[in-house]
Amino acid sequence: LIINNSLSEDGVNFVDSEANINLLKAEGIKSDAVDSDSSIIKIKKIICKNIFNDCLDLSYSNAKIGEILVSGTKDKAISAGESSEAQIDYLNVSNSSIGLVAKDSSIINLKKYDYSSVEVPIAAFIKKPELGSPFINIYDMNADGKGRTLISNDSYVNTSGKAMKGYLTSSNISKMLYGNIYGIKTQR
């Protein structure tokens, strides 16, 4: 599936679906490249270039992804929310605002994460109080040493087997994202 210069709200939106895709390539998307709502998706490889919002946005979904290559995303490379679960083998993010985000009872298990020139490489917080704490587990991470992690004190993040402690409140993090300091507001 190749999507170029889409002016619609999302490049592709899976709703109550099951998708099994070898390659999904998106470039020049006005909003999210791949949006999944209440779906089960399996994608071997995702390539996102110059995405105005998120490369991959998950809500109430289960995702198994082999490889995700992201460059020039103005908001989040991966956003997992509303009790989503993502198993990802490899994520590479460059020249983007935000890398990996888990919120609202979501779980992300990531085998290997490489990033460079990312303002916020990792963010974890509760946006919707009726849902619980998110969990991120990154087994291997290579970084350029730049960027600021935004982890709330009610989130769980492990990198290379070590817990990353959050000192900010979820409310404080939420106020920094969505175009306030980091990322960009969705245009509809």
Side-chain angles (χ1 to χ4, degrees):
L1 176 60
I2 298 173
I3 309 160
N4 290 318
N5 303 313
S6 172
L7 299 177
S8 62
E9 185 173 331
D10 299 310
V12 62
N13 191 346
F14 300 107
V15 179
D16 295 320
S17 302
E18 288 188 30
N20 192 346
I21 298 171
N22 285 326
L23 172 64
L24 195 155
K25 185 175 179 181
E27 186 169 355
I29 307 301
K30 178 184 173 187
S31 189
D32 295 340
V34 182
D35 198 338
S36 176
D37 299 308
S38 303
S39 294
I40 299 170
I41 60 171
K42 293 179 182 177
I43 304 174
K44 287 185 182 175
K45 186 173 187 176
I46 298 173
I47 301 171
C48 287
K49 292 182 182 177
N50 303 320
I51 307 302
F52 195 79
N53 281 104
D54 303 340
C55 171
L56 176 62
D57 186 355
L58 304 171
S59 298
Y60 298 106
S61 292
N62 288 314
K64 184 170 174 54
I65 312 292
E67 181 178 20
I68 304 175
L69 308 175
V70 181
S71 175
T73 297
K74 295 192 186 318
D75 204 15
K76 299 174 275 307
I78 296 176
S79 177
E82 294 87 23
S83 302
S84 291
E85 187 169 338
Q87 304 289 328
I88 304 165
D89 291 334
Y90 179 65
L91 172 63
N92 185 304
V93 183
S94 63
N95 303 310
S96 295
S97 183
I98 305 168
L100 182 65
V101 177
K103 56 188 182 291
D104 304 331
S105 298
S106 291
I107 299 169
I108 298 175
N109 285 299
L110 175 56
K111 288 183 182 174
K112 184 168 176 59
Y113 182 23
D114 292 331
Y115 70 84
S116 62
S117 299
V118 177
E119 290 180 291
V120 179
I122 301 169
F125 64 103
I126 298 172
K127 183 178 178 184
K128 297 179 178 177
E130 65 272 18
L131 295 170
S133 298
F135 179 82
I136 298 174
N137 191 21
I138 302 168
Y139 295 93
D140 184 16
M141 185 167 69
N142 295 311
D144 64 4
K146 300 175 185 174
R148 177 180 181 192
T149 58
L150 297 175
I151 301 169
S152 69
N153 52 17
D154 50 8
S155 296
Y156 302 97
V157 177
N158 293 310
T159 59
S160 303
K162 295 182 181 179
M164 295 180 74
K165 186 160 178 64
Y167 297 97
L168 299 168
T169 66
S170 284
S171 176
N172 286 340
I173 292 172
S174 189
K175 289 175 186 174
M176 287 188 231
L177 301 178
Y178 307 104
N180 294 313
I181 297 174
Y182 303 105
I184 195 163
K185 292 181 182 179
T186 301
Q187 292 186 359
R188 299 189 191 274

